[in-house]
Amino acid sequence: MDTSENPIPDLDELAVAAYRRLLEEGRRDDEWLSASADVPLERVDEVYRLLSSLRVVEAHSDRDWLAVEPHAAMAALVVPMEAEARRRAALAERLRTQLQLLVPVHESVTGARSQQTFEIVGDEALDALLDLEIGRTSQQLLLLQADSGSFDRQWERRTDQCRDALRRGVAIRAVHQHGARLHLPTEGLAETLGAHGARFRTIDELPAQLVLFDHRCALLLAADGAGQDGPDPEDGPQAAVLVRHPVVISVLAGIFTNCWDRGVPFLADEAQPPQVIDQVKLSILRLLASGAKDDVVARRLGLSVRTCRRYLSDLMSSLGVSSRFQAGVEACTRGLVPAAGGAAGPDRRAMVTSSAE
């Protein structure tokens, strides 16, 4: 039985019943099994093929079948797999030992320099760097995730690695934008890792895309086309800067703490908190007042354009206007968002909350 590509099959009640009947009667009895379990004969045949693949039954002819002792099947299937696993583990340890000989050489040449410089990391090197630094992290892994694009998929692929980090005591905290609550892969990631102790929060808008590994180093990520309109989530991270300077790392840690303190807890199995919708709508009004277009607003807030336009429609209805420009002007007039050089009025939350109702 080859389990390298095929999944290991599950034994159901019908398979157990077929094995028991073969032991008791000493022969294969398809008709009895079909009638007693109320299944077609084709299903019985599938069960015997399954038991045969697990090597707990052997066929000598169409009806002359033998039930094999399960420990013999284990010896035939499991023992070779365990031996192969031990062989590969020994090979991996030998490779690790050999490569470890080069670590002092690398550190002696680059160690002092890396503490004072920034290193540009390309797409191809980013995967390996993330694997390395997550594996080296011993205290905390902090993440600011500004969109739900391709970099989010980097973390989906590293679910097992993050679970291992949580098991060895690493605290994982992540801040996403509110739009991540509508992104199913991100919600699934929050649910999976949250069950193992990771903590997630969301805010309306993030200043950067950032990963902090302990207080050793940080990754700053940018996307193609990043400018005043913000990165396009579909592009994903196209460049990363690895930072090791302690002063810069301290500043980045402060940015993370500020975002975390302002964040709303993100629990995948709970309903959307009302303040999240309020904050998103206030941010939309603010960007409208600045003259931003729909796609820019959606990109900045980590929303789909469709979701953003639905919120815009709600806001225009509440404000009694018929265009996006009028919505921005009306929001400034009512004090819902700051005018140039001004502050928002005290009634802005009430206005947005009423629009949500």
Side-chain angles (χ1 to χ4, degrees):
M1 177 182 179
D2 182 10
T3 60
S4 61
E5 296 182 358
N6 300 317
I8 298 174
D10 293 326
L11 288 175
D12 57 15
E13 293 181 1
L14 185 62
V16 174
Y19 182 76
R20 178 183 293 276
R21 184 70 173 179
L22 187 59
L23 276 174
E24 293 172 344
E25 299 296 323
R27 64 184 182 86
R28 176 171 170 173
D29 193 346
D30 291 20
E31 290 77 11
W32 177 89
L33 194 61
S34 173
S36 63
D38 192 24
V39 296
L41 289 172
E42 292 80 4
R43 178 74 180 92
V44 174
D45 196 52
E46 289 177 6
V47 166
Y48 273 94
R49 286 200 298 271
L50 167 61
L51 293 172
S52 180
S53 72
L54 292 174
R55 305 212 186 162
V56 290
V57 299
E58 292 179 355
H60 298 284
S61 65
D62 287 345
R63 292 292 174 180
D64 186 13
W65 285 68
L66 174 68
V68 179
E69 207 275 328
H71 285 94
M74 292 182 201
L77 291 176
V78 179
V79 171
M81 294 171 62
E82 292 175 336
E84 176 64 13
R86 288 192 294 271
R87 185 190 71 79
R88 293 181 67 85
L91 177 60
E93 186 58 31
R94 177 170 172 76
L95 284 171
R96 186 190 306 276
T97 300
Q98 294 298 311
L99 293 172
Q100 189 68 29
L101 297 174
L102 300 176
V103 171
V105 178
H106 181 272
E107 291 182 348
S108 67
V109 174
T110 66
R113 182 181 62 201
S114 67
Q115 293 297 321
Q116 303 298 325
T117 60
F118 303 98
E119 180 181 346
I120 304 299
V121 181
D123 277 347
E124 294 181 359
L126 184 57
D127 268 341
L129 179 63
L130 283 169
D131 288 339
L132 174 65
E133 294 302 339
I134 294 173
R136 294 176 62 190
T137 300
S138 60
Q139 297 176 347
Q140 60 180 1
L141 178 63
L142 310 178
L143 172 69
L144 295 184
Q145 178 57 38
D147 63 59
S148 298
S150 64
F151 193 60
D152 236 13
R153 292 190 288 275
Q154 295 270 10
W155 295 99
E156 290 178 59
R157 294 197 297 270
R158 288 174 172 79
T159 302
D160 291 339
Q161 195 175 7
C162 289
R163 275 199 293 251
D164 290 341
L166 288 163
R167 279 194 286 266
R168 65 175 186 265
V170 176
I172 296 181
R173 290 187 291 160
V175 184
H176 291 254
Q177 295 191 159
H178 289 324
R181 294 172 180 268
L182 305 175
H183 186 245
L184 290 178
T186 305
E187 184 179 3
L189 191 66
E191 182 177 9
T192 300
L193 295 182
H196 291 80
R199 298 165 64 196
F200 295 81
R201 293 186 179 183
T202 64
I203 63 175
D204 55 345
E205 193 171 359
L206 285 169
Q209 192 152 283
L210 166 69
V211 189
L212 281 159
F213 306 94
D214 294 332
H215 290 287
R216 296 180 294 101
C217 63
L219 267 175
L220 277 169
L221 297 114
D224 280 350
Q228 64 180 6
D229 292 340
D232 186 344
E234 295 302 319
D235 291 336
Q238 301 296 322
V241 180
L242 181 63
V243 181
R244 292 194 180 94
H245 196 290
V247 174
V248 179
I249 290 174
S250 178
V251 171
L252 295 176
I255 292 173
F256 174 87
T257 299
N258 178 267
C259 293
W260 179 262
D261 289 344
R262 293 191 295 114
V264 179
F266 178 20
L267 302 174
D269 56 350
E270 289 191 358
Q272 189 110 285
Q275 66 265 39
V276 168
I277 298 177
D278 293 345
Q279 291 176 11
V280 170
K281 289 189 174 182
L282 284 171
S283 297
I284 290 174
L285 285 174
R286 173 176 54 79
L287 292 170
L288 280 178
S290 72
K293 297 180 181 179
D294 291 2
D295 57 339
V296 174
V297 173
R299 190 183 309 160
R300 288 277 295 272
L301 300 181
L303 301 169
S304 69
V305 175
R306 180 177 179 180
T307 299
C308 182
R309 285 174 176 164
R310 186 176 73 246
Y311 284 143
L312 282 173
S313 178
D314 292 344
L315 286 166
M316 288 191 295
S317 177
S318 298
L319 293 169
V321 298
S322 58
S323 73
R324 287 146 178 75
F325 177 76
Q326 288 175 331
V329 172
E330 186 67 17
C332 291
T333 302
R334 298 191 189 190
L336 300 175
V337 296
D347 62 335
R348 63 177 186 166
R349 178 177 172 81
M351 180 66 211
V352 177
T353 302
S354 65
S355 74
E357 298 172 349

